[in-house]
Amino acid sequence: MASTFSMSAEGLAFIKKELTRYETPYSAIIPSLFRVQAEHGWVPPEAVVLLGKTLNLPEAHINEVLYFYTMFNTKPVGKFHIQVCTNISCAMNGGRELTQALCKHYGVEVGQTSADGKVTINKVECLGSCDTAPMMQVNADSYLENLTPESAIKKLKEMGA
Amino acid sequence: MPKIKVNGQEIEVPEKSTVIQAFKQAGVDICHYCWHPGLSIAGVCRLCMVQVEGMPKLQIACNTEVKEGMSVNNTSDVVKETVKWGLDFHLINHPLDCPICDQAGECGLQDQYMQFGSYDPEMAEPKVKKSKAVDLGPTVMLDKERCILCSRCVRFTDEVSKTNELGIFNRGDRSEIGTVQGKPLDNNYSLNTVDICPVGALTSKDFRFRQRVWYLKEADSICPGCSTGCSVKVHYNEEGVWRVKPRVNPEVNGHWMCDVGRNTYKYVNLKSRLLSGKVGKRDLWQEVSVEDAVRSAGLKLRETSPDAIAVVYTGQYTNEEYASAFKFFKEELKVKNVFHWLNNPEKVNEFDGLLFRGDRNPNTKGLENAFASFGAKGSWDNLQAGINGRKFKTVIVFGPEDQSVFPDLDEKIKMFSQAENLIWLTACANKSLDSVGGETWQIPVKTYIEKAGSFTNFQGKVQDFKAGTTIVPQALSVSEAVELMAGREINWNLRPRGVGGPKTNYAVSDRGEL
């Protein structure tokens, strides 16, 4: 897929600096993965190989972290990455129904990207905003809270999705 | 050393022991999966629950250190109830396909459930489906549904083999064992993960679907694969030998053995063995009884002048066999020309840092000791010159049991066959021997599984082993062969029956390769 993967010099320097901050290189995995994702949009297998070499860790252990957390993308995502929380509070307040409504509206399945590459919908683990359930995160920094399917679609439209 | 009570039984345990070690020492059964004496403590299966007097909550025995005067039990109702529920949770996503599972009969989940299970599952949620035949590498298959995520295999590749191929990926009930793309589970210790898998998630490609384990018998032995001499168990039935597994021996191999050693059951079976004596020369040899072959070889030896005899040993026989052979040749026949055939001298001192050594003979040390006490060995150059110069008329070779570890076998057969007479003791059949031009005697001998004796490993540790089963009843031990060559008698009546060889499983052959 992305055999052309490479990191910026600043990115590599950042990872090497992270390495000096912790007692064990394992602690540098999460910040490094975030950096890769910030530069690349997702974390391709080639990035794991590169991190394995840079952090001097087995690739299997980097993948353990990568595949554990839903905030890391292991596939390319669309321009709008919609991450709907379906953990307990959101699920009880309609998080799963919200996901279904969004999937229907954009014509995609959970985990897939729309044909025009605009929208990806994922179910994710708790985003720490249980008091505003149901809620979702769009891309890296917007929280949309206290949602209904209608209000969610409206807010996404305003954002351009 | 602290004294503690385990289910009311008072025992003294070493300082810093954990409670689970105390249970093991006391010989008291305790439910557990993830704890393994050869690995680090993970504490993830939550099944080794015990009640410690004076503590409000139950503790996991694997991660609780003993304290003087501690009283623990796993028999109270609250422990039983907790373990029952713990097992039920392990079974939520387990497929319960025991009738077609290769681990059935030696499965931790089955064993623990018999004793600690609830027998009355109450889960209404549907099971999570996962892949059931994942190719992890050249030796191991994975069934992701059966896996209970104890992490033993992951810790093994991290801590013991240090190859780090395995990991646990994804989260919650989607968690699964796996490898990284392009990096299969491929190391010389990979099959230990199958041994330590407490359920049927990891199975051996070599062994799966071939035998039901409850029909196999096991015998303790010593692995002949290299000079480390790991303690092993050999599993066999009336058809032959099916697998070799490690046996715990803290002084040599700990809990583990290498994949190469596990292959040592293969050449032992009927298919590769020499089944009768063979006497003659190229295209003219005859199959004769073992007794006839060995007696006529003995006659030839006794009529050759001692100076015209060369004896060649390989490091593949037992100390007891060397003793009787050295005694016969040195003291009775007065032969001075003895030689040590070392198969791969350039690799002899190699070591992979864990168990596997470059010296692919189980008893090189024992042979060297025999040379030291019975007489100095001759140099290989002298042997070659002696054969070429027609000084050695009769060469007797105690040939390799595992021929695959002698890369120079054909070349050496060619060299030895320039002598007028060649006597060759071998466990396995060999085509090159059939085409030797001079007079040749082939005498079938026993493999390590079929005889008792001892090997001296690289450390100089002498390890006894007993006979397991008999594959070729007519094969002789070297000691017996020597007795017969000397013109004496052995007791033929005590010989056990051999095996029948593999039966055809028509159900399997009709269906094709599994």
Side-chain angles (χ1 to χ4, degrees):
Chain A
M1 273 183 285
S3 53
T4 54
F5 178 81
S6 65
M7 278 205 83
S8 68
E10 298 82 51
L12 278 175
F14 170 82
I15 290 168
K16 290 205 174 116
K17 195 164 163 235
E18 283 299 303
L19 268 176
T20 62
R21 294 183 57 196
Y22 310 106
E23 278 174 20
T24 138
Y26 284 93
S27 304
I29 295 178
I30 288 182
S32 305
L33 286 171
F34 268 128
R35 180 74 193 210
V36 170
Q37 188 156 300
E39 286 191 12
H40 197 70
W42 63 293
V43 186
E46 293 78 8
V48 175
V49 175
L50 178 74
L51 288 184
K53 284 190 191 120
T54 317
L55 303 176
N56 196 20
L57 288 174
E59 287 159 37
H61 292 331
I62 296 173
N63 270 357
E64 286 186 321
V65 177
L66 173 62
Y67 284 89
F68 183 86
Y69 292 107
T70 50
M71 67 230 185
F72 295 122
N73 306 325
T74 52
K75 287 190 290 190
V77 292
K79 190 172 170 211
F80 293 90
H81 184 202
I82 300 168
Q83 301 148 72
V84 193
C85 174
T86 52
N87 256 173
I88 188 83
S89 304
C90 286
M92 290 174 77
N93 280 294
R96 290 184 283 205
E97 292 76 10
L98 175 63
T99 318
Q100 276 169 9
L102 290 173
C103 284
K104 204 174 156 203
H105 179 78
Y106 289 105
V108 289
E109 304 267 315
V110 172
Q112 288 182 348
T113 304
S114 59
D116 58 3
K118 211 166 170 187
V119 171
T120 304
I121 299 174
N122 269 322
K123 287 200 271 193
V124 298
E125 306 294 342
C126 185
L127 293 168
S129 192
C130 301
D131 57 325
T132 61
M135 57 79 64
M136 64 196 196
Q137 180 184 343
V138 179
N139 294 341
D141 41 19
S142 332
Y143 268 25
L144 308 187
E145 300 169 305
N146 292 315
L147 298 169
T148 62
E150 296 73 33
S151 70
I153 291 168
K154 188 165 165 262
K155 284 183 183 177
L156 284 166
K157 243 183 212 150
E158 282 163 14
M159 292 172 79
Chain B
M1 293 209 300
K3 280 202 187 83
I4 71 161
K5 271 189 184 165
V6 172
N7 289 355
Q9 176 188 344
E10 192 157 296
I11 57 165
E12 205 171 316
V13 294
E15 213 72 54
K16 300 251 176 229
S17 304
T18 55
V19 172
I20 202 166
Q21 286 170 327
F23 269 75
K24 293 276 162 185
Q25 189 187 322
V28 178
D29 276 348
I30 180 162
C31 190
H32 69 91
Y33 291 128
C34 69
W35 180 79
H36 187 282
L39 298 172
S40 59
I41 294 164
V44 294
C45 77
R46 317 304 294 180
L47 287 182
C48 61
M49 290 291 182
V50 288
Q51 194 167 32
V52 182
E53 219 167 81
M55 285 176 108
K57 284 185 174 178
L58 298 185
Q59 304 293 317
I60 49 172
C62 66
N63 202 24
T64 305
E65 215 174 273
V66 296
K67 294 273 162 4
E68 177 62 41
M70 196 183 227
S71 173
V72 291
N73 78 75
N74 70 340
T75 48
S76 68
D77 287 346
V78 55
V79 174
K80 281 183 184 161
E81 189 70 9
T82 309
V83 173
K84 207 165 83 177
W85 274 100
L87 268 168
D88 244 25
F89 275 106
H90 277 290
L91 287 169
I92 289 175
N93 290 316
H94 190 85
L96 291 175
D97 55 352
C98 311
I100 56 153
C101 175
D102 218 43
Q103 188 92 351
E106 56 179 1
C107 169
L109 208 47
Q110 282 182 334
D111 293 348
Q112 314 283 19
Y113 204 80
M114 293 297 285
Q115 195 175 348
F116 304 104
S118 95
Y119 287 94
D120 202 7
E122 292 165 55
M123 297 307 293
E125 294 285 322
K127 290 179 195 286
V128 176
K129 299 289 174 202
K130 292 178 188 164
S131 319
K132 288 189 71 67
V134 181
D135 192 341
L136 282 189
T139 53
V140 179
M141 291 294 278
L142 165 67
D143 183 322
K144 287 183 176 174
E145 286 185 345
R146 290 181 192 150
C147 175
I148 55 150
L149 299 166
C150 70
S151 77
R152 279 181 173 188
C153 56
V154 178
R155 282 177 285 149
F156 178 84
T157 54
D158 285 354
E159 297 166 10
V160 183
S161 72
K162 298 193 166 54
T163 44
N164 304 298
E165 294 108 330
L166 297 175
I168 300 177
F169 308 119
N170 296 329
R171 179 169 179 161
D173 62 6
R174 287 164 291 116
S175 300
E176 54 190 37
I177 299 289
T179 51
V180 178
Q181 209 186 354
K183 299 222 163 135
L185 175 63
D186 186 5
N187 66 67
N188 192 22
Y189 295 90
S190 63
L191 284 166
N192 290 298
T193 61
V194 175
D195 292 343
I196 59 178
C197 181
V199 296
L202 298 177
T203 47
S204 153
K205 280 189 185 172
D206 186 47
F207 180 75
R208 69 204 301 254
F209 307 132
R210 292 181 74 200
Q211 287 296 322
R212 277 304 193 184
V213 292
W214 54 82
Y215 293 129
L216 295 177
K217 298 188 189 77
E218 59 177 62
D220 290 354
S221 192
I222 300 293
C223 176
C226 79
S227 60
T228 300
C230 295
S231 293
V232 296
K233 289 180 286 203
V234 177
H235 292 239
Y236 63 94
N237 63 5
E238 73 283 359
E239 296 175 50
V241 183
W242 293 95
R243 64 176 178 182
V244 179
K245 279 193 167 229
R247 189 156 51 87
V248 181
N249 181 350
E251 287 167 50
V252 180
N253 54 306
H255 301 272
W256 323 117
M257 75 178 291
C258 72
D259 293 358
V260 169
R262 288 173 202 265
N263 280 332
T264 54
Y265 80 89
K266 290 181 179 161
Y267 66 79
V268 170
N269 280 327
L270 269 185
K271 215 172 116 189
S272 45
R273 298 292 294 278
L274 178 64
L275 302 178
S276 64
K278 281 183 177 178
V279 179
K281 52 177 83 172
R282 182 172 43 224
D283 304 330
L284 292 170
W285 55 260
Q286 286 182 316
E287 278 191 17
V288 296
S289 76
V290 176
E291 187 173 3
D292 287 350
V294 72
R295 283 202 190 281
S296 76
L299 217 56
K300 178 57 76 181
L301 280 169
R302 279 178 282 146
E303 71 188 28
T304 312
S305 116
D307 290 338
I309 296 177
V311 188
V312 179
Y313 293 100
T314 55
Q316 303 232 322
Y317 293 88
T318 63
N319 292 326
E320 293 70 18
E321 288 175 309
Y322 289 140
S324 48
F326 272 83
K327 200 159 170 255
F328 172 62
F329 286 106
K330 177 91 179 166
E331 289 172 13
E332 289 187 44
L333 293 186
K334 314 279 183 216
V335 175
K336 288 197 189 69
N337 309 300
V338 286
F339 304 92
H340 181 179
W341 175 9
L342 198 54
N343 41 333
N344 47 357
E346 68 288 346
K347 286 194 178 157
V348 153
N349 294 319
E350 280 179 15
F351 177 48
D352 71 354
L354 192 47
L355 293 173
F356 185 59
R357 281 167 204 280
D359 180 6
R360 303 291 309 278
N361 298 292
N363 205 13
T364 298
K365 201 92 179 181
L367 179 55
E368 282 169 358
N369 292 345
F371 273 117
S373 56
F374 280 95
K377 62 179 168 189
S379 81
W380 202 255
D381 288 343
N382 287 348
L383 174 64
Q384 198 142 17
I387 291 174
N388 291 343
R390 308 259 168 234
K391 182 184 162 215
F392 298 139
K393 286 199 167 52
T394 302
V395 177
I396 174 164
V397 183
F398 294 88
E401 179 177 305
D402 182 357
Q403 305 191 61
S404 68
V405 302
F406 277 61
D408 56 346
L409 185 64
D410 280 350
E411 176 201 320
K412 290 293 182 325
I413 289 176
K414 221 172 261 170
M415 171 187 151
F416 297 138
S417 65
Q418 284 159 9
E420 230 168 83
N421 308 301
L422 176 62
I423 302 166
W424 195 288
L425 286 81
T426 182
C428 294
N430 184 301
K431 282 220 163 65
S432 306
L433 280 174
D434 291 344
S435 51
V436 167
E439 280 299 325
T440 309
W441 287 257
Q442 292 182 44
I443 298 162
V445 290
K446 291 177 175 176
T447 59
Y448 72 105
I449 285 168
E450 300 162 285
K451 62 194 176 191
S454 64
F455 289 143
T456 306
N457 80 350
F458 76 100
Q459 300 159 300
K461 188 175 160 59
V462 180
Q463 305 196 93
D464 290 322
F465 57 94
K466 291 193 178 114
T469 181
T470 297
I471 309 289
V472 181
Q474 60 272 32
L476 304 166
S477 72
V478 164
S479 309
E480 290 170 327
V482 162
E483 283 299 289
L484 291 167
M485 284 193 271
R488 292 187 285 267
E489 272 305 322
I490 61 167
N491 190 348
W492 292 96
N493 297 327
L494 289 175
R495 310 188 75 75
R497 262 184 21 204
V499 299
K503 292 173 192 154
T504 310
N505 181 343
Y506 293 102
V508 172
S509 54
D510 285 353
R511 222 169 38 218
E513 285 287 308
L514 281 170

